[in-house]
Amino acid sequence: MVIDAEFNPNGERIVAISADKLVVIGPNGGEVKLEMPTEARAVSVSPDGTHAAVGHDGWVSHVDLESMRVLATHGVPALLDDVVLDVQGNAHGFPGTGQHVEAYSVDLATGAVRKSWGGLIREQTQARLHPSGTRIYGADTGLSPSDLERYSIVDGALRLDYDSPYHGEYEFWGNVWFDADGAAALTPCGVVVRLTHDRGTDLRFAMQLNGLRERIRHASSSAFDDLWFVVEESDGEGLDRVLAYDIETGESIERFETPLVDEVGDQRWLANFVFASAHSRAHYVVAGDGIVGSGQQALLVRRPGEFSASNRPPTASVPRFLTARVSEEIALDGTSSSDPEGVPLTFSWSLVSGPDEDILSPDALKGSVVRFSATAAGTYEFKLRVNDGERESPVARSTVNVFERDASLVHRLDHAIADAEYSASLHALVYLSADANEIRILDLSDLTQRSVALDHPPRRVGLSPNGLMAAVSHSGVVSLVDLRAGVKTGVQTFPAEWGDIILDGRSLAHLVPFRDQWVSLHSLDFASDLAADQGPVAAGSKMRMHPTEDLMYVLDSSELKKFNVSRFPPVELEGRWNEFRIGGVNDLGLPSRFPAREFLMACS
């Protein structure tokens, strides 16, 4: 059984520990084993790949990976659950027992031991050396609330610098993995945080992997495809799949099922560790057979030619619901279907059911857009598949609800609404769906709908006073969208979670994050690419723009603040505090008529 493993880019080798052995596994499955002086608990490979540090109960071993011999074993006063080997040859051991403890740093050349300083750490912390080699990031294990910490390496010892600003909002679950350039770190709950040299922006939420269902057991990043490779676990056991996520967006790219253990039966290998190659698009998976009493392990290798990301399947896209009256022309538009490699697509439609199933000829079901006029009221169900010449998409379905000429219309939306605003100038519902990276503009005159693609999952939307522009709040990002043209015109980042957002008459976006306790009001100027923070304001506050377009109101559970937004950054004016029992649902509404002298608050 592999207890711990790390990747050595020199020769594409995996360095693993199993009981009292260190095992080096080559890319073709060859193994070289080295006896350890005592049972091993953790392993770390030096950045240059020449040496390893192995943590034991009360000891740290120094291993030369070229000659495969133990150079020395040094005593430390702790049972080590993790170890990190830095650039200078210091092994930093993290104790597995003791609750609040100190880390022990061992100079492997001399055996000198130094204690960490700057604060106590939690037992069973798992840590990793940042690609810069200058600092270490760790994650709590078994602590509630869990957190992330940053450590500096000072004179061979660890100094606890600070932790993240999140205290219980995320289940970090005791591990961390870096992207190739060290700009971001992935945690077992799927949360990705940005990494910088500045405490004000370091360890700040960037995104969460979209659709992750289980805790991450192990992960690795590929610089060749900008992907996270992820293996999950359930009840402590690895699962029979490897997931790939886009590093930039957090979107799921593909799921790879592991092979069968043998040709008889249906048991698949259970992934425990995954490592992306440093020199190619290949990746390596260390897996167990999952058979009780067997304990067999395997190295699963996916070569570049087998890597399906080189030809990812296309995606069929069509409006989920359409609404019309009898004899009106209906257009089923599949032109937003896409292929990741940009290959031209062929379209295959089928009418599954409807009051008149002979309404369309076979030739009419082959184009990117299907047009027809229903002769009878009722529900028409369509399916669409697209093909890139090699791979076919999953089925996309569309339901067309057709009403009699004098009947009331009921128009169903494609998705659950995450947030919505009304644009009076466009007479449109502008909304965000809960499971699509886009903003949608539904024309209320004819129920036609347009969408604008976004790079990140959208959370909240705010419209400009004239209703022609929208600001969309994502995790750590704000997008600016021209609703009339249907295009995204700008993107700005900020070091916090998403929150309620408004857009003023000068296209300046103002946002209050919803997590933590006291946060900054973030103001973003897209035209000049400027950002300003001020506060504090309560996390989760609601915001509204006054119809005169020069005042902004911010409301939390006990305080109402007013800001002058005719300046940048906004200037806080007088407010009211603790005069009303506003708690519970927080919101406020301003009359649309001029002048607006009153507002309505949602009080408990």
Side-chain angles (χ1 to χ4, degrees), residues 536-537 551-556 558-564 571-580 582 588 599 601:
V537 294
L551 297 175
M552 174 177 68
Y553 291 87
V554 179
L555 176 73
D556 65 20
S558 62
E559 187 174 11
L560 177 67
K561 293 187 175 185
K562 182 167 68 173
F563 292 84
N564 180 351
V571 177
E572 184 175 353
L573 305 176
E574 74 275 8
R576 294 292 186 91
W577 180 75
N578 210 24
E579 294 185 26
F580 308 99
I582 305 171
L588 58 88
F599 56 80
M601 295 184 295

Side-chain angles (χ1 to χ4, degrees), residues 74-146:
H74 306 288
V76 292
L79 180 152
L80 300 181
D81 247 19
D82 199 17
V83 64
V84 178
L85 182 54
D86 69 19
V87 178
Q88 289 79 32
N90 300 300
H92 308 281
F94 292 82
T97 59
Q99 194 172 10
H100 296 291
V101 297
E102 297 161 311
Y104 294 93
S105 300
V106 182
D107 184 332
L108 295 180
T110 66
V113 178
R114 300 177 178 86
K115 291 183 179 181
S116 62
W117 53 288
L120 296 176
I121 64 175
R122 177 71 176 180
E123 65 176 3
Q124 300 179 27
T125 289
Q126 301 292 301
R128 206 169 298 274
L129 181 69
H130 187 263
S132 67
T134 61
R135 56 194 190 274
I136 289 173
Y137 289 92
D140 297 325
T141 300
L143 180 66
S144 180
S146 59

Side-chain angles (χ1 to χ4, degrees), residues 7 131 178-182 220-229 245 247-248 275-283 307 312:
F7 190 66
F178 303 120
D179 66 359
D181 58 6
S220 183
S221 64
S222 169
F224 287 85
D225 292 289
D226 288 330
L227 295 177
W228 292 111
F229 290 116
Y245 286 88
I247 284 179
E248 295 297 322
F275 301 98
S277 168
H279 307 292
S280 71
R281 299 174 71 186
H283 59 281
F307 183 35
R312 300 171 188 169

